[in-house]
């Protein structure tokens, strides 16, 4: 059996225990970028040491950031360049990470040197025009030189840009952040309007680093005033709610479960998975909630035999976009229909997550209808184990291993190496929870 194949069988006695899932991926990328531009040094605690975020950190070291190791790989001192990064000596490897590549593109386009970013086959098939378009309007020179039109590798000729107002055509925090990160480098006000509220980690971190940024009351309009002079300040990154969501669903569908998750990020632009699971009947309790730049708290999830289907509202989609594969698994265990529509963005994630989720749900015996923009799942049919591909997609691999924890027979996921892009240690934590 290849070493990146993982098999599970039903956890007959439930999942029980207390775990701390790794640090937030979105926040880790942004801390590396902004800490590199900042003046001074900061302690970074609970950085996500996954392949995606380590690629971003290595890229920032190429730009001149200094990383001094701390007592564990997740904790280190980051010394910034005070807005004077240097040209990278080598092409920048973004691995599998759309966030890394799109956010760095915004920054690199406004810096006075040339750079080139590349990634793996999945990343080189994902659309980059969405960031090239607004950045080009600011005067950026970015050439998408991949074999697929509009795709990576990206060759960037950095130069002085001009501020713009940009109306985002899609609800994307990556596009929003690429424009704002370019905007913070230049004199004047750069603004964006988003069609729906997307994750606001960039804006919160702007405040953390003393970068002038305002958001309208309805959350849809954001303005950054440059040129910024970011100031380094210590930070502790909360655990990733997207990683925690695998346990929120596992605890909800596996009889006898009770799982305690520590210090999970509870940013209201990311927590729709909790609202939707509760609406489906899930027993999710939040305690010890605090706010330090980002809200976070402890979550206790207990099995509930009476999950039922729901309709995911259009405005909820951007706030649980990464959780849809695992939500679809929950829906397969809930009585009645769950409607997940208005989610066409899923087709351009690490895999086409509508197609890959539907394929694997069907392989396990679930009843699911596929639409161009989502799926409708009729839950309540007992699932059976199967051998499935994870399609090089970390969230598909983890989502269907969780499904296997309450299915008949053995569930095997192929090509699980991808899990390391966001959740190193997933398999060990899963095994530690099985009673
Ligand atoms: C992210 C934004 C989302 C999300 C991705 C992380 C971010 O992508 O799917 O995993 O950190 O800004 P889009 O901006 O493409 O929706």
């Amino acid at each position: 059996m290849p070493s990146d194949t993982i098999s599970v069988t039903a956890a007959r006695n439930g999942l029980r225990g207390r775990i701390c899932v790794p640090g937030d991926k979105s926040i880790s990328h942004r801390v590396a970028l902004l800490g590199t531009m900042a003046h001074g040094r900061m302690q970074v605690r609970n950085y996500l040491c996954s392949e995606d975020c380590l690629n971003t950190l290595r890229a920032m070291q190429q730009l001149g950031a200094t990383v001094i190791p701390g007592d564990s790989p997740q904790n280190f001192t980051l010394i910034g360049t005070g807005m004077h990064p240097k040209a990278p000596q080598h092409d920048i490897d973004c691995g599998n990470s759309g966030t890394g590549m799109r956010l760095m593109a915004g920054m690199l386009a406004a810096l006075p040197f040339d750079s080139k970013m590349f990634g793996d086959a999945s990343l080189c098939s994902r659309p980059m025009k969405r960031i090239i378009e607004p950045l080009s309007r600011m005067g950026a020179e970015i050439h998408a030189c991949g074999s697929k039109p509009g795709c990576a590798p990206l060759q960037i000729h950095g130069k002085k840009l001009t501020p713009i107002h940009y109306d985002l055509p899609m609800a994307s925090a990556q596009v929003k952040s690429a424009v704002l990160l370019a905007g913070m480098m230049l004199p004047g006000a750069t603004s964006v309007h988003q069609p729906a509220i997307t994750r606001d980690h960039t804006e919160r971190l702007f405040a953390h680093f003393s970068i002038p940024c305002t958001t309208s009351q309805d959350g849809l309009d954001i303005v950054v005033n440059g040129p910024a002079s970011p100031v380094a300040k210590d930070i502790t990154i909360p655990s990733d709610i997207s990683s925690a969501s695998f346990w929120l669903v596992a605890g909800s569908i596996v009889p006898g479960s009770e799982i305690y998750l520590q210090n999970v990020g509870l940013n209201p632009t990311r927590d729709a998975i909790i609202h939707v699971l509760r609406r489906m009947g899930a027993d999710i309790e939040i305690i010890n909630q605090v706010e330090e730049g980002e809200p976070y708290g402890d979550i206790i999830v207990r099995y509930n035999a009476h999950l039922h289907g729901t309709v995911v509202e259009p405005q909820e989609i951007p706030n649980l976009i990464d959780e849809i594969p695992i939500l679809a698994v929950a829906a397969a265990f809930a009585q009645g229909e769950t409607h997940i529509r208005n989610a066409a963005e899923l087709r351009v994630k690490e895999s086409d997550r509508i197609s890959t989720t539907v394929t694997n749900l069907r392989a396990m015996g679930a009843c699911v209808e596929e639409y161009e923009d989502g799926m409708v799942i009729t839950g309540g049919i007992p699932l059976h184990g199967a051998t499935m591909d994870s399609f090089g997609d970390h969230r598909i691999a983890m989502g269907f291993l969780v499904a296997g924890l309450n299915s008949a027979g053995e569930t095997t996921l192929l090509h699980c190496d991808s899990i390391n892009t966001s959740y190193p240690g997933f398999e060990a934590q899963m095994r530690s929870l099985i009673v």
Side-chain angles (χ1 to χ4, degrees):
M1 200 162 68
S3 61
D4 66 340
T5 296
I6 302 180
S7 294
V8 291
T9 51
R12 301 237 172 269
N13 299 314
L15 302 164
R16 300 181 84 86
R18 192 179 173 110
I19 55 170
C20 192
V21 308
D24 188 276
K25 182 148 78 82
S26 293
I27 300 174
S28 294
H29 282 297
R30 287 160 170 83
V31 165
L33 264 56
L34 290 169
T36 296
M37 298 310 294
H39 298 262
R41 60 166 65 207
M42 61 191 290
Q43 301 296 326
V44 178
R45 290 182 214 93
N46 205 33
Y47 189 86
L48 174 59
C49 289
S50 72
E51 282 167 13
D52 278 7
C53 297
L54 289 175
N55 275 324
T56 295
L57 193 59
R58 279 190 284 266
M60 294 301 104
Q61 286 173 292
Q62 280 214 63
L63 297 194
T66 304
V67 176
I68 302 171
D71 53 2
S72 73
Q74 296 78 19
N75 302 339
F76 52 84
T77 303
L78 179 59
I79 307 177
T81 64
M83 290 294 266
H84 286 98
K86 58 178 197 216
Q89 292 295 299
H90 308 284
D91 292 350
I92 293 171
D93 185 357
C94 297
N96 188 244
S97 177
T99 308
M101 183 172 280
R102 293 188 178 120
L103 267 56
M104 270 192 269
M107 237 173 70
L108 293 170
L111 290 168
F113 47 71
D114 290 352
S115 52
K116 187 171 182 180
M117 288 187 288
F118 66 100
D120 67 10
S122 152
L123 182 53
C124 289
S125 70
R126 296 179 64 189
M128 290 297 146
K129 269 196 188 135
R130 52 181 58 198
I131 50 127
I132 296 175
E133 210 271 320
L135 294 171
S136 300
R137 284 203 211 173
M138 300 172 87
E141 276 183 45
I142 304 178
H143 177 51
C145 40
S147 50
K148 210 174 142 189
C151 291
L154 299 182
Q155 179 80 54
I156 300 181
H157 176 59
K159 57 199 286 208
K160 276 209 170 81
L161 305 183
T162 35
I164 55 164
H165 170 77
Y166 190 60
D167 267 310
L168 294 178
M170 77 284 284
S172 164
Q174 293 178 358
V175 179
K176 171 179 73 173
S177 300
V179 174
L180 294 175
L181 286 165
M184 74 172 233
M185 312 281 193
L186 12 144
T190 296
S191 55
V192 294
H193 173 81
Q194 47 183 357
I197 291 180
T198 63
R199 64 191 70 194
D200 65 357
H201 305 302
T202 300
E203 298 90 308
R204 285 174 187 261
L205 284 170
F206 276 173
H208 180 89
F209 285 94
S210 307
I211 299 169
C213 175
T214 51
T215 301
S216 61
Q217 201 141 36
D218 63 8
L220 298 177
D221 290 275
I222 301 110
V223 187
V224 64
N225 283 289
S229 191
V231 182
K233 190 175 154 200
D234 295 351
I235 196 161
T236 300
I237 297 170
S239 293
D240 197 320
I241 188 168
S242 298
S243 300
S245 68
F246 295 105
W247 308 122
L248 296 181
V249 171
S252 298
I253 65 170
V254 177
S257 296
E258 178 168 326
I259 306 174
Y260 188 111
L261 303 160
Q262 284 170 270
N263 297 335
V264 181
L266 295 168
N267 182 313
T269 63
R270 292 280 301 280
D271 69 354
I273 185 67
I274 294 177
H275 299 293
V276 172
L277 287 174
R278 278 181 171 162
R279 210 157 69 220
M280 294 171 78
D283 179 352
I284 296 174
E285 186 185 352
I286 296 175
I287 58 170
N288 302 332
Q289 196 171 337
V290 283
E291 173 138 4
E292 286 161 13
E294 292 277 351
Y296 63 92
D298 297 342
I299 306 181
I300 304 160
V301 55
R302 300 181 183 90
Y303 171 68
N304 182 349
H306 304 292
L307 291 188
H308 49 81
T310 189
V311 176
V312 181
E313 299 297 334
Q315 72 277 10
E316 289 177 320
I317 294 291
N319 304 139
L320 51 59
I321 190 75
D322 293 338
E323 287 70 78
I324 290 178
I326 190 63
L327 177 60
V329 167
F333 288 90
Q335 290 299 325
E337 289 185 355
T338 294
H339 294 244
I340 305 171
R341 303 292 302 271
N342 305 288
E345 274 291 307
L346 288 177
R347 297 220 179 256
V348 290
K349 295 292 179 192
E350 287 84 328
S351 68
D352 172 344
R353 284 188 180 154
I354 296 178
S355 160
T356 51
T357 301
V358 168
T359 300
N360 283 357
L361 279 176
R362 285 189 180 143
M364 301 187 81
C367 173
V368 49
E369 189 139 352
E370 177 173 352
Y371 294 88
E372 199 37 48
D373 68 345
M375 63 196 86
V376 174
I377 299 137
T378 306
I381 303 168
L383 299 190
H384 55 76
T387 295
M388 293 170 280
D389 202 346
S390 49
F391 304 97
D393 186 331
H394 53 135
R395 300 201 196 279
I396 298 294
M398 292 184 278
F400 285 90
L401 285 169
V402 166
L405 293 172
N406 189 15
S407 298
E410 191 172 62
T411 297
T412 297
L413 265 295
L414 308 173
H415 307 128
C416 290
D417 262 1
S418 58
I419 291 175
N420 293 325
T421 62
S422 71
Y423 196 158
F426 171 84
E427 186 185 0
Q429 285 195 331
M430 176 178 75
R431 306 236 181 256
S432 79
L433 287 171
I434 298 173
V435 179

mmCIF file of all heavy atoms in Angstrom, residues 25-26 29-30 99 102-103 126 130 171-175 177 199 201 321-322 345 349-350 395, ligand 1:
data_model
loop_
_atom_site.group_PDB
_atom_site.id
_atom_site.type_symbol
_atom_site.label_atom_id
_atom_site.label_comp_id
_atom_site.label_asym_id
_atom_site.label_seq_id
_atom_site.Cartn_x
_atom_site.Cartn_y
_atom_site.Cartn_z
ATOM 1 N N LYS A 25 -4.725 28.796 8.621
ATOM 2 C CA LYS A 25 -3.954 28.891 7.376
ATOM 3 C C LYS A 25 -4.009 30.305 6.806
ATOM 4 O O LYS A 25 -2.978 30.881 6.450
ATOM 5 C CB LYS A 25 -4.508 27.873 6.375
ATOM 6 C CG LYS A 25 -3.761 27.826 5.054
ATOM 7 C CD LYS A 25 -3.771 26.433 4.456
ATOM 8 C CE LYS A 25 -5.093 26.099 3.797
ATOM 9 N NZ LYS A 25 -5.171 26.672 2.422
ATOM 10 N N SER A 26 -5.204 30.854 6.707
ATOM 11 C CA SER A 26 -5.345 32.198 6.113
ATOM 12 C C SER A 26 -4.559 33.229 6.914
ATOM 13 O O SER A 26 -3.894 34.102 6.357
ATOM 14 C CB SER A 26 -6.820 32.610 6.097
ATOM 15 O OG SER A 26 -7.532 31.798 5.213
ATOM 16 N N HIS A 29 -0.533 32.783 6.493
ATOM 17 C CA HIS A 29 0.006 33.397 5.261
ATOM 18 C C HIS A 29 0.157 34.915 5.435
ATOM 19 O O HIS A 29 1.174 35.506 5.087
ATOM 20 C CB HIS A 29 -0.968 33.192 4.090
ATOM 21 C CG HIS A 29 -0.953 31.839 3.466
ATOM 22 N ND1 HIS A 29 0.142 31.312 2.827
ATOM 23 C CD2 HIS A 29 -1.938 30.912 3.344
ATOM 24 C CE1 HIS A 29 -0.174 30.111 2.346
ATOM 25 N NE2 HIS A 29 -1.420 29.844 2.647
ATOM 26 N N ARG A 30 -0.894 35.531 5.963
ATOM 27 C CA ARG A 30 -0.919 36.998 6.048
ATOM 28 C C ARG A 30 0.090 37.521 7.077
ATOM 29 O O ARG A 30 0.685 38.584 6.877
ATOM 30 C CB ARG A 30 -2.342 37.465 6.402
ATOM 31 C CG ARG A 30 -3.329 37.314 5.224
ATOM 32 C CD ARG A 30 -4.762 37.294 5.716
ATOM 33 N NE ARG A 30 -5.750 37.393 4.660
ATOM 34 C CZ ARG A 30 -6.182 36.358 3.921
ATOM 35 N NH1 ARG A 30 -5.690 35.132 4.105
ATOM 36 N NH2 ARG A 30 -7.114 36.552 2.993
ATOM 37 N N THR A 99 -3.834 30.858 -2.068
ATOM 38 C CA THR A 99 -3.756 32.032 -1.188
ATOM 39 C C THR A 99 -2.349 32.614 -1.226
ATOM 40 O O THR A 99 -2.174 33.825 -1.398
ATOM 41 C CB THR A 99 -4.108 31.645 0.270
ATOM 42 O OG1 THR A 99 -5.344 30.950 0.266
ATOM 43 C CG2 THR A 99 -4.228 32.873 1.150
ATOM 44 N N ARG A 102 -1.731 34.260 -4.767
ATOM 45 C CA ARG A 102 -2.534 35.449 -5.096
ATOM 46 C C ARG A 102 -2.188 36.622 -4.183
ATOM 47 O O ARG A 102 -2.110 37.766 -4.619
ATOM 48 C CB ARG A 102 -4.014 35.103 -5.047
ATOM 49 C CG ARG A 102 -4.412 34.113 -6.153
ATOM 50 C CD ARG A 102 -5.912 33.917 -6.224
ATOM 51 N NE ARG A 102 -6.296 33.007 -7.294
ATOM 52 C CZ ARG A 102 -6.954 31.853 -7.119
ATOM 53 N NH1 ARG A 102 -7.296 31.468 -5.898
ATOM 54 N NH2 ARG A 102 -7.273 31.095 -8.146
ATOM 55 N N LEU A 103 -1.979 36.338 -2.899
ATOM 56 C CA LEU A 103 -1.652 37.443 -1.989
ATOM 57 C C LEU A 103 -0.254 37.994 -2.266
ATOM 58 O O LEU A 103 -0.045 39.212 -2.293
ATOM 59 C CB LEU A 103 -1.763 36.986 -0.529
ATOM 60 C CG LEU A 103 -3.122 37.225 0.147
ATOM 61 C CD1 LEU A 103 -4.252 36.593 -0.625
ATOM 62 C CD2 LEU A 103 -3.128 36.749 1.585
ATOM 63 N N ARG A 126 -5.311 26.773 -11.804
ATOM 64 C CA ARG A 126 -6.328 27.632 -11.172
ATOM 65 C C ARG A 126 -6.259 29.058 -11.721
ATOM 66 O O ARG A 126 -5.190 29.547 -12.084
ATOM 67 C CB ARG A 126 -6.138 27.602 -9.645
ATOM 68 C CG ARG A 126 -6.378 26.203 -9.085
ATOM 69 C CD ARG A 126 -6.177 26.132 -7.606
ATOM 70 N NE ARG A 126 -7.138 26.937 -6.886
ATOM 71 C CZ ARG A 126 -7.070 27.184 -5.579
ATOM 72 N NH1 ARG A 126 -6.074 26.679 -4.883
ATOM 73 N NH2 ARG A 126 -7.972 27.906 -5.006
ATOM 74 N N ARG A 130 -8.162 36.650 -12.186
ATOM 75 C CA ARG A 130 -8.948 37.388 -11.195
ATOM 76 C C ARG A 130 -8.087 38.363 -10.385
ATOM 77 O O ARG A 130 -8.599 39.355 -9.885
ATOM 78 C CB ARG A 130 -9.690 36.414 -10.280
ATOM 79 C CG ARG A 130 -8.811 35.365 -9.657
ATOM 80 C CD ARG A 130 -9.574 34.398 -8.760
ATOM 81 N NE ARG A 130 -10.647 33.710 -9.443
ATOM 82 C CZ ARG A 130 -11.652 33.104 -8.833
ATOM 83 N NH1 ARG A 130 -11.728 33.107 -7.507
ATOM 84 N NH2 ARG A 130 -12.597 32.488 -9.499
ATOM 85 N N ALA A 171 -17.107 37.069 -4.732
ATOM 86 C CA ALA A 171 -16.822 37.208 -3.300
ATOM 87 C C ALA A 171 -15.548 36.425 -2.995
ATOM 88 O O ALA A 171 -15.609 35.242 -2.662
ATOM 89 C CB ALA A 171 -17.991 36.683 -2.485
ATOM 90 N N SER A 172 -14.397 37.072 -3.132
ATOM 91 C CA SER A 172 -13.124 36.387 -2.908
ATOM 92 C C SER A 172 -12.206 37.201 -2.007
ATOM 93 O O SER A 172 -11.798 38.310 -2.353
ATOM 94 C CB SER A 172 -12.425 36.125 -4.246
ATOM 95 O OG SER A 172 -11.067 35.804 -4.018
ATOM 96 N N ALA A 173 -11.873 36.622 -0.851
ATOM 97 C CA ALA A 173 -10.952 37.296 0.071
ATOM 98 C C ALA A 173 -9.547 37.362 -0.511
ATOM 99 O O ALA A 173 -8.777 38.260 -0.186
ATOM 100 C CB ALA A 173 -10.924 36.553 1.400
ATOM 101 N N GLN A 174 -9.224 36.407 -1.380
ATOM 102 C CA GLN A 174 -7.878 36.427 -1.973
ATOM 103 C C GLN A 174 -7.739 37.600 -2.927
ATOM 104 O O GLN A 174 -6.723 38.298 -2.917
ATOM 105 C CB GLN A 174 -7.605 35.107 -2.700
ATOM 106 C CG GLN A 174 -7.509 33.926 -1.758
ATOM 107 C CD GLN A 174 -7.277 32.610 -2.483
ATOM 108 O OE1 GLN A 174 -7.221 32.562 -3.708
ATOM 109 N NE2 GLN A 174 -7.156 31.545 -1.720
ATOM 110 N N VAL A 175 -8.753 37.831 -3.762
ATOM 111 C CA VAL A 175 -8.686 38.948 -4.712
ATOM 112 C C VAL A 175 -8.701 40.270 -3.929
ATOM 113 O O VAL A 175 -7.905 41.175 -4.177
ATOM 114 C CB VAL A 175 -9.845 38.865 -5.732
ATOM 115 C CG1 VAL A 175 -9.774 40.043 -6.694
ATOM 116 C CG2 VAL A 175 -9.785 37.548 -6.490
ATOM 117 N N SER A 177 -7.702 40.802 -0.955
ATOM 118 C CA SER A 177 -6.438 40.984 -0.237
ATOM 119 C C SER A 177 -5.297 41.337 -1.183
ATOM 120 O O SER A 177 -4.423 42.134 -0.833
ATOM 121 C CB SER A 177 -6.095 39.719 0.545
ATOM 122 O OG SER A 177 -7.124 39.433 1.472
ATOM 123 N N ARG A 199 -13.872 36.630 4.298
ATOM 124 C CA ARG A 199 -13.021 36.615 5.495
ATOM 125 C C ARG A 199 -12.223 37.911 5.585
ATOM 126 O O ARG A 199 -11.668 38.381 4.578
ATOM 127 C CB ARG A 199 -12.136 35.364 5.527
ATOM 128 C CG ARG A 199 -11.137 35.250 4.427
ATOM 129 C CD ARG A 199 -10.502 33.864 4.396
ATOM 130 N NE ARG A 199 -11.475 32.872 3.967
ATOM 131 C CZ ARG A 199 -11.326 31.564 4.089
ATOM 132 N NH1 ARG A 199 -10.246 31.063 4.651
ATOM 133 N NH2 ARG A 199 -12.248 30.724 3.677
ATOM 134 N N HIS A 201 -9.494 38.689 7.552
ATOM 135 C CA HIS A 201 -8.220 38.603 8.275
ATOM 136 C C HIS A 201 -7.232 39.684 7.840
ATOM 137 O O HIS A 201 -6.466 40.191 8.658
ATOM 138 C CB HIS A 201 -7.576 37.228 8.072
ATOM 139 C CG HIS A 201 -8.461 36.097 8.444
ATOM 140 N ND1 HIS A 201 -9.011 35.951 9.704
ATOM 141 C CD2 HIS A 201 -8.917 35.033 7.730
ATOM 142 C CE1 HIS A 201 -9.747 34.856 9.739
ATOM 143 N NE2 HIS A 201 -9.713 34.291 8.553
ATOM 144 N N ILE A 321 -16.925 28.442 2.612
ATOM 145 C CA ILE A 321 -16.565 27.899 1.294
ATOM 146 C C ILE A 321 -15.626 26.685 1.404
ATOM 147 O O ILE A 321 -15.811 25.698 0.698
ATOM 148 C CB ILE A 321 -15.970 29.013 0.387
ATOM 149 C CG1 ILE A 321 -15.815 28.514 -1.057
ATOM 150 C CG2 ILE A 321 -14.658 29.579 0.913
ATOM 151 C CD1 ILE A 321 -17.089 28.429 -1.833
ATOM 152 N N ASP A 322 -14.674 26.732 2.333
ATOM 153 C CA ASP A 322 -13.719 25.621 2.441
ATOM 154 C C ASP A 322 -14.307 24.428 3.197
ATOM 155 O O ASP A 322 -13.725 23.343 3.211
ATOM 156 C CB ASP A 322 -12.434 26.088 3.140
ATOM 157 C CG ASP A 322 -11.664 27.094 2.290
ATOM 158 O OD1 ASP A 322 -11.867 27.117 1.055
ATOM 159 O OD2 ASP A 322 -10.875 27.871 2.855
ATOM 160 N N GLU A 345 -17.829 28.698 -7.207
ATOM 161 C CA GLU A 345 -16.403 28.913 -6.892
ATOM 162 C C GLU A 345 -15.696 27.602 -6.521
ATOM 163 O O GLU A 345 -14.492 27.458 -6.671
ATOM 164 C CB GLU A 345 -16.264 29.896 -5.729
ATOM 165 C CG GLU A 345 -16.276 31.366 -6.146
ATOM 166 C CD GLU A 345 -15.019 31.747 -6.926
ATOM 167 O OE1 GLU A 345 -13.916 31.502 -6.427
ATOM 168 O OE2 GLU A 345 -15.151 32.262 -8.044
ATOM 169 N N LYS A 349 -11.284 25.351 -6.896
ATOM 170 C CA LYS A 349 -10.453 25.173 -5.690
ATOM 171 C C LYS A 349 -9.339 24.150 -5.979
ATOM 172 O O LYS A 349 -9.052 23.879 -7.133
ATOM 173 C CB LYS A 349 -11.337 24.734 -4.511
ATOM 174 C CG LYS A 349 -12.352 25.811 -4.089
ATOM 175 C CD LYS A 349 -11.662 27.004 -3.484
ATOM 176 C CE LYS A 349 -12.660 28.080 -3.090
ATOM 177 N NZ LYS A 349 -11.993 29.351 -2.772
ATOM 178 N N GLU A 350 -8.746 23.587 -4.941
ATOM 179 C CA GLU A 350 -7.623 22.660 -5.127
ATOM 180 C C GLU A 350 -8.008 21.489 -6.047
ATOM 181 O O GLU A 350 -7.167 20.899 -6.714
ATOM 182 C CB GLU A 350 -7.118 22.155 -3.772
ATOM 183 C CG GLU A 350 -6.331 23.192 -2.974
ATOM 184 C CD GLU A 350 -7.200 24.139 -2.160
ATOM 185 O OE1 GLU A 350 -8.340 24.468 -2.570
ATOM 186 O OE2 GLU A 350 -6.727 24.574 -1.076
ATOM 187 N N ARG A 395 -8.816 18.695 1.529
ATOM 188 C CA ARG A 395 -10.124 18.700 2.218
ATOM 189 C C ARG A 395 -11.006 17.532 1.763
ATOM 190 O O ARG A 395 -11.877 17.078 2.516
ATOM 191 C CB ARG A 395 -10.824 20.033 2.021
ATOM 192 C CG ARG A 395 -9.990 21.188 2.590
ATOM 193 C CD ARG A 395 -10.787 22.420 2.899
ATOM 194 N NE ARG A 395 -9.889 23.558 3.068
ATOM 195 C CZ ARG A 395 -9.200 23.828 4.189
ATOM 196 N NH1 ARG A 395 -9.331 23.060 5.242
ATOM 197 N NH2 ARG A 395 -8.386 24.875 4.246
HETATM 198 C C1 LIG B 1 -8.752 32.315 1.421
HETATM 199 C C2 LIG B 1 -9.868 32.653 0.698
HETATM 200 C C3 LIG B 1 -10.751 31.684 0.050
HETATM 201 C C4 LIG B 1 -10.526 30.282 0.599
HETATM 202 C C5 LIG B 1 -9.075 29.945 0.694
HETATM 203 C C6 LIG B 1 -8.382 30.898 1.634
HETATM 204 C C7 LIG B 1 -7.911 33.369 2.008
HETATM 205 O O1 LIG B 1 -10.493 31.678 -1.335
HETATM 206 O O2 LIG B 1 -11.195 29.336 -0.215
HETATM 207 O O3 LIG B 1 -8.891 28.625 1.165
HETATM 208 O O4 LIG B 1 -7.082 33.066 2.883
HETATM 209 O O5 LIG B 1 -8.082 34.524 1.608
HETATM 210 P P1 LIG B 1 -11.195 32.721 -2.343
HETATM 211 O O6 LIG B 1 -10.712 34.073 -2.030
HETATM 212 O O7 LIG B 1 -10.766 32.263 -3.716
HETATM 213 O O8 LIG B 1 -12.669 32.553 -2.136
#
